[in-house]
Amino acid sequence: LGTDLVPIHLTEDQIIASVPEAVRWLGVTEPETVEVALTATAVQRLGAIPGEQVLLTGYGSDLMNAGLYRPFTHRDDLMGQVLAAIDATRYSNELSNRMPLAYGTTTHHPFWSWRVMRVALETAPECKIREGREKFHLRTAMARRVPEPIAWRRKIAVHHGGGLQDGV
């Protein structure tokens, strides 16, 4: 897509040392919320993002696009899950820019902007989940821009992908 990917390798000690700070910035101790925030917290603590660069995240996409969902029987059940996840996030500071600002960095969460949220919330649940696949509509759109194995790869939550949850 023309965007450079800059890998940042974090050690177990760096991640564990970030737990207290993640809890402080979040204002909550809910384990999964803290796990999700640990990577961003460790990256900020280590100064891995130069002040002149902008960090773009995918945070918020799973919440609105049914990236992580429980089995449901009716479309309203799925919408209820989506709305409950968004509501819970309002109280956690997960998508706040306070921490990046404190470190002199800029972070954008494009999926958490009102215009993007509105489109996601207006998207029919049948488009989000189809044939047992989450984010079906986004995968279909991206299959034209990235290799098919990438567009249709198995969903792994950010805090599961690198084994973080197992370690914590």
Side-chain angles (χ1 to χ4, degrees):
L1 297 175
T3 302
D4 291 334
L5 175 66
V6 179
I8 298 170
H9 301 282
L10 301 171
T11 67
E12 182 178 340
D13 289 341
Q14 290 169 328
I15 292 169
I16 296 302
S18 299
V19 171
E21 191 164 341
V23 169
R24 183 173 63 109
W25 285 114
L26 292 167
V28 299
T29 58
E30 202 283 314
E32 187 163 7
T33 303
V34 174
E35 289 167 9
V36 170
L38 278 177
T39 302
T41 304
V43 165
Q44 294 289 353
R45 283 184 64 244
L46 296 170
I49 303 166
E52 69 277 0
Q53 291 183 350
V54 175
L55 174 65
L56 294 176
T57 78
Y59 288 171
S61 178
D62 281 342
L63 300 175
M64 288 167 276
N65 293 299
L68 302 169
Y69 69 95
R70 296 179 311 281
F72 60 96
T73 54
H74 190 268
R75 68 190 312 268
D76 291 344
D77 297 338
L78 180 60
M79 276 308 296
Q81 289 181 38
V82 168
L83 293 173
I86 291 168
D87 186 57
T89 302
R90 292 185 315 138
Y91 304 104
S92 72
N93 292 314
E94 282 179 81
L95 299 166
S96 166
N97 279 324
R98 290 183 322 157
M99 180 180 51
L101 289 172
Y103 283 100
T105 63
T106 303
T107 300
H108 289 292
H109 308 294
F111 287 98
W112 202 242
S113 69
W114 174 238
R115 288 174 37 193
V116 174
M117 288 178 74
R118 196 167 86 214
V119 169
L121 293 172
E122 290 173 353
T123 301
E126 296 83 4
C127 293
K128 295 177 182 183
I129 306 291
R130 188 178 299 167
E131 300 168 16
R133 291 308 308 267
E134 72 291 327
K135 297 184 179 181
F136 189 88
H137 61 310
L138 298 179
R139 293 176 182 282
T140 301
M142 289 310 297
R144 297 179 184 140
R145 298 194 175 269
V146 300
E148 191 165 321
I150 292 174
W152 293 99
R153 69 180 172 218
R154 186 173 69 87
K155 167 69 181 139
I156 300 174
V158 66
H159 58 295
H160 297 174
L164 178 61
Q165 188 176 45
D166 292 339
V168 174

